[in-house]
Amino acid sequence: MLRNPNGLSYAVIALLVGNIAFDVLLAEFEVRVLVSDYITAYAEPDLFGIIALNLAYSVAFTLYVATGIVFIVWFHRLRKNAGVWAPDLQRRKPGWAVGGWFIPIGNLWIPRGIAADIWRASRWQPYAADGARELALLNGWWTLWVADMVADRIASQLYKRAETPEAYVTAASWSLAGYVLDIAAAVLAILFVRRLTSMQHTKATGMIPAAQ
């Protein structure tokens, strides 16, 4: 049974925009560490500034988790729809559209494969050969997302071990790189969500009940 993904796509896009806003806010802090003497705050922290920063990190983390949950619900719905159109092209069952994101190491490639299968099933000719750059948007988003995860992991480990101003600057550099990658990945994710949702909506026009 086909289900309309439009409402979920709007929610995902709104949450991704919120993530971009907080990435810009937190990236600004890392820039201050890199280009000014703000690093002295680690030795003599301003209480109000630290509270505000911690609050921003908490809200950003909550928003990130919410985005992940809504995105996975949207992703699972599109995978179910893809199974209606071209079940033989789906190499993994619908449950993998959820579980695949939580498998260590495997989550670096399993969801991308599922997304490619959904894409093929959602186009007008599911069994046609892929165009030369047909999956460029998916591949671009996925590459940036994986790179962002790597940069964030490195930054986190560097911050944990940092004891000198120089070490904090190095950690801040990796953290800033992570925010830049996350912003770029979020922009491509928005384009990917819009494109894939539009493909399914167009293909299913007249088949999906108006009220969901």
Side-chain angles (χ1 to χ4, degrees):
M1 175 181 176
L2 294 174
R3 297 194 63 190
N4 194 332
N6 288 352
L8 282 170
S9 73
Y10 299 146
V12 172
I13 290 171
L15 287 167
L16 285 169
V17 170
N19 276 272
I20 291 173
F22 271 94
D23 281 344
V24 171
L25 175 67
L26 295 174
E28 188 269 341
F29 168 75
E30 306 297 350
V31 171
R32 291 171 65 185
V33 171
L34 292 171
V35 302
S36 72
D37 62 354
Y38 187 72
I39 198 165
T40 57
Y42 289 109
E44 299 177 3
D46 173 76
L47 182 59
F48 179 79
I50 294 300
I51 291 175
L53 183 62
N54 287 337
L55 178 61
Y57 276 122
S58 297
V59 174
F61 177 75
T62 301
L63 187 61
Y64 179 81
V65 172
T67 304
I69 292 172
V70 178
F71 182 93
I72 290 174
V73 173
W74 168 84
F75 193 65
H76 181 259
R77 177 166 296 187
L78 266 66
R79 168 58 185 85
K80 296 277 284 187
N81 287 346
V84 173
W85 288 313
D88 53 324
L89 292 181
Q90 308 308 302
R91 291 169 291 179
R92 297 183 185 275
K93 295 185 179 298
W96 283 93
V98 176
W101 295 93
F102 301 98
I103 299 176
I105 307 301
N107 60 7
L108 298 178
W109 55 273
I110 291 175
R112 187 267 167 201
I114 296 172
D117 292 343
I118 295 172
W119 183 283
R120 296 183 180 103
S122 302
R123 62 194 181 189
W124 280 112
Q125 297 180 326
Y127 299 96
D130 294 343
R133 297 180 57 82
E134 183 177 352
L135 299 178
L137 180 58
L138 167 60
N139 292 334
W141 160 56
W142 196 257
T143 299
L144 288 172
W145 185 72
V146 171
D148 170 44
M149 287 203 302
V150 173
D152 283 347
R153 183 63 180 271
I154 293 174
S156 177
Q157 293 302 313
L158 289 173
Y159 266 125
K160 287 180 180 179
R161 297 197 297 264
E163 296 181 353
T164 65
E166 292 76 14
Y168 277 114
V169 167
T170 300
S173 298
W174 278 98
S175 183
L176 180 60
Y179 285 125
V180 172
L181 288 168
D182 195 54
I183 291 169
V187 170
L188 291 189
I190 289 172
L191 297 176
F192 175 74
V193 170
R194 284 171 54 88
R195 178 71 182 279
L196 192 52
T197 300
S198 177
M199 288 168 63
Q200 288 211 346
H201 179 72
T202 299
K203 187 167 185 173
T205 297
M207 299 171 61
I208 302 176
Q212 291 289 334

